[in-house]
Amino acid sequence: MSTAREANDQLWIMPFLGQLTDDCRDFNDDITSNSVTPFTYYASLVQRKDPLANSLLNPFYTFLNHCSDIYLSSHRDSQTGAFLGRRIARTLRSVKITGEERSFVQFLNIFCADNRTLHNYFNNKLLKQFPFVSDPEKTFFRLLDVSSVKYARTNRKLETYAFENLIKIEDALNIFPVHTQDDSILEETLLMSAMNYSVQIGGKRLRPLLMFMVADLYEIELNRILPLARGIEYLHTSSLIFDDLPARDNSDLRRGQAALHKTTINNDISYNLCEGRAQLAAVDLIAISMGLINGGLIRNGFSFESVNRVVGEISLLMHDLCIGQMMDLRAARVGIEEDSKKIDKLDRIAWFKTGKTIEVVMILPVLLAKSPSDEQALELSRIRKLSQLMGIMFQMRDDLLDVEEGAAIGKPAALDIKKNTVTYVSLIGIDGTRERLQQFLAQSLQLVDECWPKGSATIKDVIQYFVTRKT
Amino acid sequence: MSTAREANDQLWIMPFLGQLTDDCRDFNDDITSNSVTPFTYYASLVQRKDPLANSLLNPFYTFLNHCSDIYLSSHRDSQTGAFLGRRIARTLRSVKITGEERSFVQFLNIFCADNRTLHNYFNNKLLKQFPFVSDPEKTFFRLLDVSSVKYARTNRKLETYAFENLIKIEDALNIFPVHTQDDSILEETLLMSAMNYSVQIGGKRLRPLLMFMVADLYEIELNRILPLARGIEYLHTSSLIFDDLPARDNSDLRRGQAALHKTTINNDISYNLCEGRAQLAAVDLIAISMGLINGGLIRNGFSFESVNRVVGEISLLMHDLCIGQMMDLRAARVGIEEDSKKIDKLDRIAWFKTGKTIEVVMILPVLLAKSPSDEQALELSRIRKLSQLMGIMFQMRDDLLDVEEGAAIGKPAALDIKKNTVTYVSLIGIDGTRERLQQFLAQSLQLVDECWPKGSATIKDVIQYFVTRKT
């Protein structure tokens, strides 16, 4: 199954890689003939010192990264490695042969400017091997692993990142019975179906994706923190099941499908049990999540001490989410009190409802990657501040979306969609909200640069998405 | 506050201790005059080799234990110790002086038969000091701590045990806000009130008491596992809040008070928010419980590794409780399917609903007291078996109580109280259920002896209570 999927991935990559190889090999010719390719375009930006170059993917790294991906997904098969190594060496030899005296060094100066190790490797080691075009894959891929790959991984666009990683998360989300040794227990099966129904209704999986991005920055292998990413998504799903119940938002639908408390699953229980089952499934998701995080991280080699800290943070998060939902419950039903119509209050709701989860998602990989003495208190407090801003931005964008959707379908009093509820738009207006959103955006991007000075364009792209998203 | 309470305890103990001292000192005279005192009665049973002696408290140990309690609650004050030491020495000297040649040894043979260390200490060390009646308290209390006290602690009646320990649990159960550094958050306060309301509605606190009893057997200081005892009680409270909701048992009352989803607390929220708040408070109790167990046990000096195992067991317990409640939900609403009217099925419901918690309560102190390599797999599997039996006995007694109550208030069709629901009584009748209960009782008491050969009369008394309880 997963091998078939990997094979499919490679089918998709191959023509793209072929094109990149051609563009790289013909770089000098294309410069001469003024042809625009990813390589010549990137080179022209670098030479003009255009800041846009910093937010554009380096096509040479993309080329190397794809080669590396293929090599890694072949499980470092030596024949595949030799094939790819020869391809890279031949491509670079073309760059050297087709240009002038210093053209190869110039090429490296453009495309490996930020990676001295790789630059030196190509210029010293690999150059000498061009006459032989032998199989330099071993040293080569080792270098790729430690430098180029990391850069490529942490500076992709959200969409590219999601394309590669979402499948890892989706594939892992299905929940299986715990009691496998006994005969299967009917009631456990009923809970499993319910939990998986709600988990599979889907969502953007933004929380686990964001956690993966931070884990990449700290060079944690994604499979190792997968139990944590799954656990966080289950907690999120659990809170959505509770949100939809009659005593709360009373919503019959969730993402266009029947909410769990409004549906049987293949007629497995009588309809009058659905709400009770939904409540139990939501509690069970918490239980499964805690067990998975507590046990899975240990199995994946993290220390008992760091896992203890993680469980502590998760417990606190659950408490804070309850507070956030209590805020929401009061705000939705009774409105925020007139006399305290303060934007601070809205900010606090957004922080507890959305920001706290983002905080935990971004903090936990740091806690797992570093020993307690290592941690930069400054770094952690910056991440906490950033998460708070992201939570508020997410909510401001939500309020704007309500109005924009209302306007789009011609509703006159779009502001009244959430009756009796104070929103950012009702407090400071559409323009005020948009303006504040831009201020927070600038502040957040600044914080990302301070948290991760070596660059995390992917996380920046997530923040851009928070501000511009249409759903 | 707690000092005032301790002072009160001592006031209560003093006359009792005075009487015990007199009865001990006059032992020989009372034997001669055929007076019945706790000492002469116990001695007559021992001399007749009456098995009843094994289930009766040894009055001499009770006397020593009270002295020890007073000494310990004086924080080992040396003057208090000297006073008590002199009292014990003088009392024993009276036993020696008033009787015949071997009367002191005979006294020790009766009252310290199962404690060689104490026997030797009195017969060798203390005897030599009688002429001086000096202050032998130090060695003496050290010996008491390691032997007599443990025996006395683990062989009391449930009522005595609860009298002493319930207050420790009740005093610790109140939940306080987590966010104390910020301004208090209104919504956190609303959740705190709700959680404390449900926690304070009370209950027998059987789970934490049982955990304390097992902890005593493994000589774990009770304060150290208090976070775990509290956490388990919170999880239990959480499940009761969910049980009462309209989609489940739809019960407006809990122990004669309004169920949480049917009440405001001093009009703190509008009535239409009560059910939503109850759901959030029930989830929050899980969060508070996990945080407390995970963090509190570490603060109390248990290892990260053992706490990790505890959190794993608790997560699994939560999952199993969901299964048990799902079983209950189906059984209550649709009845157990006709064709599978098997007693096995009822046993399994009782095991998941009640037995699993008992199991965790009795297993966790063992896990905390012993290193993984130490554990006797046999011991653990016996405890698991015992817990399963206890869960089933508890449920059988519940079913009998329903019928007995029905009969008491003159309801003709008491069997129909739980309409459409299969119970032990409906399956095997009143006499059949009583008989099976007695079989399980014998089996359980046997298992207790196998688990703890040095005696745990208190746990046996809990099991007796399971079988005979009237509420």
Side-chain angles (χ1 to χ4, degrees), chain A residues 396-464:
Chain A
M396 286 199 281
R397 183 67 200 146
D398 245 13
D399 290 352
L400 281 173
L401 275 174
D402 278 346
V403 187
E404 288 168 6
E405 276 169 16
I409 56 173
K411 262 199 186 170
L415 276 177
D416 282 2
I417 286 180
K418 292 194 172 180
K419 283 208 186 70
N420 219 353
T421 303
V422 179
T423 68
Y424 285 105
V425 174
S426 75
L427 262 191
I428 56 175
I430 295 182
D431 290 343
T433 306
R434 286 190 180 142
E435 201 174 300
R436 192 162 184 258
L437 204 47
Q438 289 304 319
Q439 287 165 12
F440 277 45
L441 173 62
Q443 214 179 327
S444 301
L445 296 179
Q446 174 72 28
L447 273 170
V448 172
D449 280 337
E450 285 168 19
C451 289
W452 301 291
K454 290 190 182 160
S456 174
T458 312
I459 290 181
K460 284 183 178 176
D461 202 41
V462 172
I463 297 174
Q464 292 281 2

Side-chain angles (χ1 to χ4, degrees), chain A residues 16 63 82 110 116 228 234-235 262 280 293 311 344 348 369 401 412 437 439-440 461:
Chain A
F16 184 55
F63 164 63
I110 292 170
R116 210 61 223 167
L228 185 54
Y234 295 155
L235 289 181
K262 296 302 269 185
L280 290 174
I293 292 170
V311 172
D344 292 358
R348 196 151 75 168
L401 275 174
L437 204 47
Q439 287 165 12
F440 277 45
D461 202 41

Side-chain angles (χ1 to χ4, degrees), chain B residues 396-406 469-471:
Chain B
M396 286 198 282
R397 183 67 200 145
D398 245 14
D399 290 352
L400 281 173
L401 275 174
D402 278 346
V403 187
E404 288 168 6
E405 276 169 17
R469 69 201 169 87
K470 299 289 178 201
T471 56

Side-chain angles (χ1 to χ4, degrees), chain A residues 42-256:
Chain A
Y42 185 84
S44 70
L45 291 178
V46 169
Q47 280 165 339
R48 286 207 311 268
K49 296 195 197 308
D50 190 320
L52 195 58
N54 296 324
S55 60
L56 202 71
L57 268 190
N58 179 332
F60 183 54
Y61 286 165
T62 309
F63 164 63
L64 294 176
N65 192 42
H66 278 311
C67 291
S68 168
D69 271 357
I70 293 171
Y71 177 61
L72 291 176
S73 62
S74 78
H75 304 290
R76 299 176 194 263
D77 168 60
S78 65
Q79 283 201 294
T80 309
F83 166 79
L84 292 163
R86 275 195 299 272
R87 169 177 279 235
I88 294 165
R90 280 188 183 133
T91 306
L92 288 175
R93 193 177 59 163
S94 296
V95 174
K96 183 173 185 311
I97 293 171
T98 57
E100 296 167 8
E101 178 68 24
R102 282 184 38 81
S103 62
F104 184 59
V105 174
Q106 279 163 0
F107 178 91
L108 294 180
N109 287 346
I110 292 170
F111 292 101
C112 299
D114 57 0
N115 193 331
R116 210 61 223 167
T117 326
L118 209 61
H119 190 292
N120 290 341
Y121 173 77
F122 286 135
N123 199 26
N124 302 328
K125 293 271 173 55
L126 200 68
L127 188 62
K128 291 188 191 123
Q129 307 209 347
F130 282 172
F132 317 105
V133 185
S134 71
D135 300 343
E137 75 275 8
K138 279 194 183 166
T139 339
F140 178 70
F141 282 109
R142 207 172 301 134
L143 273 166
L144 270 186
D145 281 357
V146 298
S147 49
S148 168
V149 168
K150 183 184 167 188
Y151 179 85
R153 288 190 72 81
T154 57
N155 287 279
R156 277 174 287 182
K157 293 281 172 192
L158 170 58
E159 210 177 321
T160 317
Y161 195 92
F163 178 85
E164 180 176 333
N165 291 295
L166 199 53
I167 201 78
K168 290 182 195 156
I169 296 164
E170 296 287 356
D171 274 359
L173 281 178
N174 204 38
I175 303 173
F176 296 96
V178 174
H179 297 282
T180 47
Q181 293 187 307
D182 329 10
D183 305 335
S184 78
I185 299 169
L186 173 62
E187 284 79 2
E188 187 179 36
T189 315
L190 294 175
L191 288 170
M192 291 294 144
S193 315
M195 290 191 280
N196 284 322
Y197 174 86
S198 284
V199 168
Q200 300 302 343
I201 281 184
K204 308 184 198 76
R205 315 294 187 205
L206 263 180
R207 290 158 191 79
L209 277 175
L210 194 54
M211 178 178 286
F212 273 11
M213 290 169 198
V214 178
D216 266 339
L217 284 166
Y218 292 86
E219 293 171 56
I220 301 174
E221 211 185 305
L222 299 189
N223 277 334
R224 289 184 72 208
I225 57 152
L226 191 54
L228 185 54
R230 287 171 61 196
I232 296 258
E233 191 66 13
Y234 295 155
L235 289 181
H236 176 58
T237 307
S238 168
S239 78
L240 296 182
I241 295 174
F242 281 123
D243 269 352
D244 291 339
L245 291 178
R248 304 275 299 284
D249 290 353
N250 194 20
S251 168
D252 292 355
L253 293 176
R254 165 66 56 184
R255 295 187 182 281

Side-chain angles (χ1 to χ4, degrees), chain B residues 321-433:
Chain B
L321 283 179
C322 289
I323 295 176
Q325 292 177 317
M326 190 72 210
M327 289 171 171
D328 217 26
L329 182 67
R330 287 186 69 246
R333 297 291 176 100
V334 301
I336 294 180
E337 294 79 355
E338 283 299 314
D339 62 329
S340 62
K341 259 191 187 177
K342 285 185 221 129
I343 205 156
D344 292 359
K345 198 143 189 174
L346 285 183
D347 283 353
R348 196 152 75 168
I349 298 185
W351 182 31
F352 274 86
K353 264 180 60 189
T354 314
K356 294 276 186 180
T357 310
I358 297 174
E359 178 178 323
V360 163
V361 155
M362 300 214 289
I363 289 283
L364 291 188
V366 187
L367 294 187
L368 285 170
K370 300 190 164 189
S371 77
S373 56
D374 257 8
E375 283 156 25
Q376 302 294 328
L378 193 61
E379 184 176 347
L380 287 183
S381 72
R382 274 181 184 139
I383 298 179
R384 289 188 202 276
K385 177 67 189 161
L386 173 63
S387 317
Q388 191 175 353
L389 292 178
M390 287 171 75
I392 295 169
M393 286 192 290
F394 197 90
Q395 190 58 51
M396 286 198 282
R397 183 67 200 145
D398 245 14
D399 290 352
L400 281 173
L401 275 174
D402 278 346
V403 187
E404 288 168 6
E405 276 169 17
I409 56 173
K411 262 199 186 171
L415 277 178
D416 282 2
I417 286 180
K418 293 193 172 182
K419 283 209 185 68
N420 220 353
T421 303
V422 179
T423 69
Y424 285 105
V425 174
S426 75
L427 262 191
I428 56 175
I430 295 182
D431 290 342
T433 306

Side-chain angles (χ1 to χ4, degrees), chain A residues 313-324:
Chain A
E313 292 276 343
I314 295 279
S315 308
L316 189 55
L317 168 65
M318 279 173 58
H319 172 62
D320 285 341
L321 283 179
C322 288
I323 295 177

